[in-house]
Amino acid sequence: MKANDSVRWHGIETAEALQLLESDLERGLSEAEAEARLAKFGPNEITRHGRTPEWKRFLLQFHQPLVYILVIASAIAAGLGEWVDSTVIFVVVLINAIIGWLQESKAEKALTALSRMVVTEVTVRRDGRRGRIPSRELVPGDIVLLQSGDRVPADLRLTSVRGFQVDESALTGESVPVHKHSDPLALDAILADRRNLAFAATLVTAGRGEGVVWATGDKTEAGRIAWLISEAADPPTPLMRKIAEFSRLMLWLILALAVVAFAVGLWHGEKPVTMYLAAVALAVGAIPEGLPAAVTIVLAIGVSRMAARRAIIRNLPAVETLGSTTVVCSDKTGTLTENEMTVQEIFAGGLFFDVTGSGYEPRGELQIDGHIARIAEHNALAECLKAGVLCNDSWLVEKESRWIVEGDPTEAALIVAARKAGLAEADIHIAHPRLDSIPFESEHQFMATLHHRVGGRMIYKKGAAEQLIERCSNALDSTGTAVPLDKGQAHEAVDRMAARGMRVLAFASREVALDHHRLEHGHVATDLTFLGLQGMIDPPRPEAIRAVARCRSAGIRVKMITGDHLITARAIARQIGLEDERESLAVSGREFERHEGEALADLVEGTAVFARFAPEQKLRLVQALQSRGHIVAMTGDGVNDAPALKQADIGVAMGRGGTDVAKNAADMVLTDDNFATIEAAVEEGRGVFDNLTKFIVWTLPTNGGEALTLLAAIFLGTTLPILPVQLLWINMGAAALLGTTLAFEPKEQGLMHRPPRDPGQPLLDFPLFMRTGLVTFLVLAGAYGLFSWEIERGAPIDEARTVVVNVIVFVEIFYLLNCRSLIHSIRSIGLFSNRWLWAGIAAMGAAQLGFTYLPFMNAAFHSAPLDADAWVRILTVAVAVWLIVGIEKWIRARSDVERSAELASHPETMATSHRSQ
Ligand code: ATP
């Protein structure tokens, strides 16, 4: 095939387009030809443009208020001729920037790699067969079949459409969906008016369409303008925002303290240069230099841990928000259940038939009262099964002796049931070729097809039983004769099947005249003949049952949303363990519609199951829950779920069964479509937050202690117990070698026995704030105390300062052990469960020995070798801090146990709302 860059595809007939592209509508390309074209045109991928260049991202590392202080301090120190200090401060800032930059690049790469895990597939026709291929393997000339929910994978010339609408906002900015057709257009039509073309990166919002690919990858319209579409940056997470606010506050506080310290020193009669250095030391000591890098690392580790548990995060704040989730609204089919449908019971001609066998293997039989039922003797049954085969868009294939569904499991179950009765689909299809169809859409809850048959035309319809029965006037009796329908009996049969947890589909037919060629909604609205019901089971996923129980104990409510019948939904909910003494079990979508405002909020709070629920209603459901302060995770897979996914705090899309539109709108994609994965992600989210809190609780007392030690010296008019370069050594070294290892802490036991975290809650709650204060004071007492001791016994100033540096570092090491768990003791979490931590401690210990004994370190950092006695004093202080914090944790854990015992006796206080407070 030649390159056809100059062709105006919208201006030519489809036949000409196919000829130019050397393709065939019925057969598509051959696999061999497709392979050759892939080699020639390259993969169907758009080169990513518009990313922040690396150098700019590196410079941005310096764009932080706290770093400004350090850079200015370094410049002034240089101006004062303090070259060593100036250089060390600058080198530290540089190292900090390099670490931050590397971490950010790594995190970004990880996120990009994750986004590739969600592979987009497209349906194509090749070698005369329909099949799914990864979108990147698409080539010009391929015939692509699209339906609502799909992302258009390349630029196409449409060859046929049915109710086909496309959201082209990604390309044109226009958010109203555009109706498409397949007729040729005037050559001068502008891009937005080229209604017979579908463009890559746009989304199909309704209908079906078929087209031939004329451009892939960078050659598509989206590829041409890709450099204009800048990458949307990840918004800062709530925690990042809080930390930024906290940093700004600290900036002013530190500046104010530095000015006060400077003034007090001058008043004491110190030289301005000395006081300037003291003020710089104070600022340097108080700044937690490692904090921004630690936040990035912990979040990145959280994202990869979630990916390992099959939850792909598309939006970074979701990592944190997950930990605060109070309600999970989940679809039933495929998420809480296996989505493996098996017809178990059929009602036709007033009789009930049992179907044996399970799964998709067509082995089993139809029975009536324990005896084999022959379809030759039951005409209504035969018609009901035939309708199930004809009004069907799916098929079964046997691969390596396993039966696989291509399409919808509900429909596959109907084919299996027909085969068990001895009906062959191929014969039925040949005898009744399809002329037109109305595809199944969740909001209509039916599907209908128009068929040719000898001497006439026949419409078959299948769908949700309640509506379909109401549209029938006749029914086939057991001999196959049309008689008036006994609606009461039909509804009773539906309820009987639904009460056993079965999804019930009803079937109907209608004869029409030979001149019928198209099928409209009006043709299947009335006067139908009822053929029967097929009831199928879809077993709950065992892991979903366990996950629901775990959510319960974590104070998270689970609500099931389904398009299924109320009675079916209720039966399944019971099997999954969704009933709750506080919640009336189920409401239908219709009942839901009748409520508004506060009444609606009350209703949704108190209901666990929403049945016959339309996707559009999900949005109101999320809003009603949010009005009560809930943090809502909502699952969805279809086009109409997108608004609810966007509105929810965590929109969850299905990786396998979900449409591209839903994935686009979601914050998280489940690669296995499984409810248990949501629960796993919530658990990881809680773990991430815990580890961030641990880092903060660990780092702040050091900074506070250092600043207070210096302030004490300045106010008392004594020599500085520690120099700026030494502070930087501690802060940087300890953050990199010790603090970041907390990110690798395994999740704590009992993580899913706590209530959800209130997102409005401050970074540190009162007990943790008090602990931080206590340790700050201990650092001050230890550092200043040992400094005075050394000075008192006449040690040189360098030695006394080396003692101070070591006491702070060793307190940090021992306190790090306390911080491994905010609640539990180190014994209960396993001494060696975090090997990184011990490696970090060993490295930091070695670094301290170097700092104390290596001559070049002594020269750079004004340190001096210490004797054994000094070490004994240092280690005594560090161990004392460890013991004191251990006792404080023990006392708090005991009072927590008492509190949770109290909570357990008043559970309603557990999962209360947050936002409204
Ligand atoms: P979920 O529980 O995941 O929200 P669902 O599978 O329960 O989804 P839908 O797929 O919207 O919900 O199905 C709703 C109803 O529509 C079903 O109870 C059934 O009666 C009917 N239905 C489902 N699939 C088909 C189909 N392929 N053709 C005709 N009717 C169908």
Side-chain angles (χ1 to χ4, degrees), residues 507-533:
F507 298 81
S509 64
R510 187 177 163 202
E511 274 189 66
V512 283
L514 254 177
D515 57 353
H516 252 78
H517 298 289
R518 285 187 71 81
L519 195 54
E520 306 293 343
H521 280 248
H523 299 146
V524 288
T526 50
D527 262 351
L528 303 175
T529 303
F530 178 70
L531 302 176
L533 306 169

Short mmCIF file of all heavy atoms in Angstrom, two decimals, residues 507-533:
data_model
loop_
_atom_site.label_atom_id
_atom_site.label_comp_id
_atom_site.label_asym_id
_atom_site.label_seq_id
_atom_site.Cartn_x
_atom_site.Cartn_y
_atom_site.Cartn_z
N PHE A 507 -38.40 -13.43 27.37
CA PHE A 507 -38.29 -13.49 25.92
C PHE A 507 -39.65 -13.29 25.28
O PHE A 507 -40.67 -13.77 25.82
CB PHE A 507 -37.72 -14.84 25.49
CG PHE A 507 -36.33 -15.05 26.04
CD1 PHE A 507 -36.16 -15.48 27.34
CD2 PHE A 507 -35.23 -14.75 25.28
CE1 PHE A 507 -34.89 -15.62 27.87
CE2 PHE A 507 -33.96 -14.89 25.79
CZ PHE A 507 -33.79 -15.33 27.10
N ALA A 508 -39.67 -12.60 24.14
CA ALA A 508 -40.94 -12.38 23.46
C ALA A 508 -40.68 -12.30 21.97
O ALA A 508 -39.54 -12.14 21.52
CB ALA A 508 -41.57 -11.08 23.94
N SER A 509 -41.76 -12.45 21.20
CA SER A 509 -41.59 -12.34 19.75
C SER A 509 -42.77 -11.58 19.17
O SER A 509 -43.78 -11.34 19.85
CB SER A 509 -41.51 -13.74 19.13
OG SER A 509 -42.75 -14.40 19.33
N ARG A 510 -42.61 -11.21 17.90
CA ARG A 510 -43.73 -10.53 17.22
C ARG A 510 -43.57 -10.75 15.73
O ARG A 510 -42.46 -10.58 15.20
CB ARG A 510 -43.68 -9.04 17.54
CG ARG A 510 -44.85 -8.32 17.02
CD ARG A 510 -44.81 -6.86 17.42
NE ARG A 510 -45.72 -6.16 16.58
CZ ARG A 510 -45.68 -4.87 16.34
NH1 ARG A 510 -44.75 -4.13 16.93
NH2 ARG A 510 -46.54 -4.31 15.57
N GLU A 511 -44.66 -11.16 15.08
CA GLU A 511 -44.59 -11.35 13.63
C GLU A 511 -44.86 -10.02 12.96
O GLU A 511 -45.75 -9.30 13.37
CB GLU A 511 -45.67 -12.33 13.19
CG GLU A 511 -45.23 -13.77 13.28
CD GLU A 511 -46.27 -14.68 12.64
OE1 GLU A 511 -46.45 -14.58 11.41
OE2 GLU A 511 -46.88 -15.44 13.40
N VAL A 512 -44.09 -9.70 11.92
CA VAL A 512 -44.37 -8.46 11.18
C VAL A 512 -44.38 -8.77 9.69
O VAL A 512 -43.93 -9.85 9.27
CB VAL A 512 -43.33 -7.35 11.49
CG1 VAL A 512 -43.60 -6.72 12.83
CG2 VAL A 512 -41.92 -7.87 11.41
N ALA A 513 -44.83 -7.81 8.91
CA ALA A 513 -44.99 -8.04 7.47
C ALA A 513 -43.64 -8.09 6.76
O ALA A 513 -42.63 -7.59 7.27
CB ALA A 513 -45.86 -6.95 6.88
N LEU A 514 -43.66 -8.61 5.55
CA LEU A 514 -42.42 -8.81 4.78
C LEU A 514 -41.68 -7.51 4.42
O LEU A 514 -40.50 -7.52 4.16
CB LEU A 514 -42.78 -9.53 3.48
CG LEU A 514 -42.39 -11.01 3.38
CD1 LEU A 514 -42.87 -11.59 2.08
CD2 LEU A 514 -40.89 -11.17 3.52
N ASP A 515 -42.44 -6.38 4.41
CA ASP A 515 -41.80 -5.12 4.01
C ASP A 515 -41.02 -4.45 5.16
O ASP A 515 -40.51 -3.35 5.02
CB ASP A 515 -42.83 -4.15 3.44
CG ASP A 515 -43.95 -3.87 4.43
OD1 ASP A 515 -43.96 -4.54 5.50
OD2 ASP A 515 -44.80 -3.02 4.14
N HIS A 516 -40.92 -5.13 6.29
CA HIS A 516 -40.14 -4.59 7.41
C HIS A 516 -38.65 -4.79 7.18
O HIS A 516 -38.21 -5.92 7.02
CB HIS A 516 -40.53 -5.33 8.70
CG HIS A 516 -41.32 -4.51 9.63
ND1 HIS A 516 -42.65 -4.27 9.45
CD2 HIS A 516 -40.96 -3.85 10.75
CE1 HIS A 516 -43.08 -3.51 10.43
NE2 HIS A 516 -42.08 -3.24 11.23
N HIS A 517 -37.89 -3.69 7.14
CA HIS A 517 -36.43 -3.85 6.95
C HIS A 517 -35.66 -3.32 8.13
O HIS A 517 -34.53 -3.73 8.37
CB HIS A 517 -35.97 -3.11 5.69
CG HIS A 517 -36.59 -3.66 4.46
ND1 HIS A 517 -36.24 -4.89 3.97
CD2 HIS A 517 -37.57 -3.18 3.66
CE1 HIS A 517 -36.96 -5.15 2.89
NE2 HIS A 517 -37.79 -4.13 2.69
N ARG A 518 -36.26 -2.36 8.83
CA ARG A 518 -35.53 -1.76 9.95
C ARG A 518 -36.30 -1.97 11.25
O ARG A 518 -37.52 -2.14 11.24
CB ARG A 518 -35.32 -0.25 9.72
CG ARG A 518 -34.24 0.01 8.70
CD ARG A 518 -33.94 1.49 8.62
NE ARG A 518 -33.25 2.00 9.79
CZ ARG A 518 -31.94 1.87 9.99
NH1 ARG A 518 -31.20 1.25 9.10
NH2 ARG A 518 -31.36 2.37 11.06
N LEU A 519 -35.57 -1.94 12.33
CA LEU A 519 -36.19 -2.17 13.62
C LEU A 519 -36.10 -0.88 14.44
O LEU A 519 -35.02 -0.31 14.59
CB LEU A 519 -35.42 -3.30 14.33
CG LEU A 519 -36.05 -3.95 15.53
CD1 LEU A 519 -37.45 -4.46 15.22
CD2 LEU A 519 -35.18 -5.12 16.00
N GLU A 520 -37.24 -0.40 14.91
CA GLU A 520 -37.26 0.81 15.74
C GLU A 520 -37.83 0.44 17.11
O GLU A 520 -38.49 -0.58 17.24
CB GLU A 520 -38.15 1.89 15.10
CG GLU A 520 -37.84 2.25 13.67
CD GLU A 520 -36.49 2.94 13.51
OE1 GLU A 520 -35.97 3.43 14.54
OE2 GLU A 520 -35.96 2.97 12.39
N HIS A 521 -37.60 1.33 18.10
CA HIS A 521 -38.11 1.06 19.45
C HIS A 521 -39.63 0.83 19.45
O HIS A 521 -40.14 0.00 20.18
CB HIS A 521 -37.74 2.21 20.41
CG HIS A 521 -36.34 2.11 20.89
ND1 HIS A 521 -36.01 1.83 22.18
CD2 HIS A 521 -35.17 2.21 20.23
CE1 HIS A 521 -34.70 1.78 22.30
NE2 HIS A 521 -34.16 2.02 21.13
N GLY A 522 -40.34 1.59 18.58
CA GLY A 522 -41.80 1.48 18.54
C GLY A 522 -42.28 0.08 18.15
O GLY A 522 -43.36 -0.36 18.57
N HIS A 523 -41.44 -0.66 17.40
CA HIS A 523 -41.85 -2.00 16.95
C HIS A 523 -41.88 -3.03 18.07
O HIS A 523 -42.44 -4.10 17.91
CB HIS A 523 -40.89 -2.52 15.87
CG HIS A 523 -40.85 -1.66 14.65
ND1 HIS A 523 -39.73 -1.45 13.89
CD2 HIS A 523 -41.82 -0.91 14.06
CE1 HIS A 523 -39.99 -0.64 12.91
NE2 HIS A 523 -41.27 -0.29 12.98
N VAL A 524 -41.19 -2.72 19.19
CA VAL A 524 -41.13 -3.73 20.25
C VAL A 524 -41.76 -3.21 21.54
O VAL A 524 -41.46 -3.69 22.63
CB VAL A 524 -39.67 -4.17 20.52
CG1 VAL A 524 -39.14 -5.00 19.39
CG2 VAL A 524 -38.76 -2.98 20.79
N ALA A 525 -42.64 -2.17 21.40
CA ALA A 525 -43.20 -1.56 22.61
C ALA A 525 -44.49 -2.24 23.06
O ALA A 525 -44.80 -2.25 24.25
CB ALA A 525 -43.45 -0.07 22.35
N THR A 526 -45.27 -2.79 22.12
CA THR A 526 -46.55 -3.41 22.51
C THR A 526 -46.81 -4.68 21.69
O THR A 526 -46.06 -4.98 20.76
CB THR A 526 -47.74 -2.46 22.22
OG1 THR A 526 -47.60 -2.01 20.87
CG2 THR A 526 -47.80 -1.28 23.17
N ASP A 527 -47.91 -5.37 22.09
CA ASP A 527 -48.42 -6.49 21.28
C ASP A 527 -47.44 -7.62 21.06
O ASP A 527 -47.40 -8.24 20.01
CB ASP A 527 -48.84 -5.96 19.90
CG ASP A 527 -50.34 -5.75 19.89
OD1 ASP A 527 -50.98 -6.18 20.86
OD2 ASP A 527 -50.84 -5.16 18.91
N LEU A 528 -46.62 -7.88 22.06
CA LEU A 528 -45.63 -8.95 21.90
C LEU A 528 -46.24 -10.27 22.41
O LEU A 528 -47.18 -10.27 23.20
CB LEU A 528 -44.37 -8.63 22.71
CG LEU A 528 -43.68 -7.31 22.37
CD1 LEU A 528 -42.52 -7.07 23.32
CD2 LEU A 528 -43.18 -7.30 20.93
N THR A 529 -45.65 -11.36 21.94
CA THR A 529 -46.05 -12.67 22.43
C THR A 529 -44.99 -13.18 23.39
O THR A 529 -43.81 -13.28 23.02
CB THR A 529 -46.22 -13.66 21.26
OG1 THR A 529 -47.17 -13.11 20.37
CG2 THR A 529 -46.66 -15.02 21.75
N PHE A 530 -45.41 -13.48 24.62
CA PHE A 530 -44.48 -13.91 25.66
C PHE A 530 -44.04 -15.35 25.38
O PHE A 530 -44.88 -16.23 25.21
CB PHE A 530 -45.20 -13.80 27.01
CG PHE A 530 -44.38 -14.26 28.18
CD1 PHE A 530 -43.29 -13.53 28.62
CD2 PHE A 530 -44.72 -15.43 28.86
CE1 PHE A 530 -42.55 -13.94 29.71
CE2 PHE A 530 -43.99 -15.85 29.95
CZ PHE A 530 -42.90 -15.11 30.38
N LEU A 531 -42.71 -15.57 25.33
CA LEU A 531 -42.22 -16.93 25.03
C LEU A 531 -41.75 -17.67 26.28
O LEU A 531 -41.76 -18.89 26.31
CB LEU A 531 -41.05 -16.85 24.04
CG LEU A 531 -41.33 -16.17 22.70
CD1 LEU A 531 -40.06 -16.08 21.88
CD2 LEU A 531 -42.41 -16.92 21.94
N GLY A 532 -41.32 -16.91 27.29
CA GLY A 532 -40.88 -17.58 28.50
C GLY A 532 -39.80 -16.82 29.24
O GLY A 532 -39.47 -15.67 28.88
N LEU A 533 -39.25 -17.46 30.28
CA LEU A 533 -38.22 -16.84 31.12
C LEU A 533 -37.03 -17.80 31.22
O LEU A 533 -37.21 -19.01 31.23
CB LEU A 533 -38.75 -16.63 32.54
CG LEU A 533 -40.04 -15.87 32.73
CD1 LEU A 533 -40.51 -16.01 34.19
CD2 LEU A 533 -39.84 -14.39 32.40
#
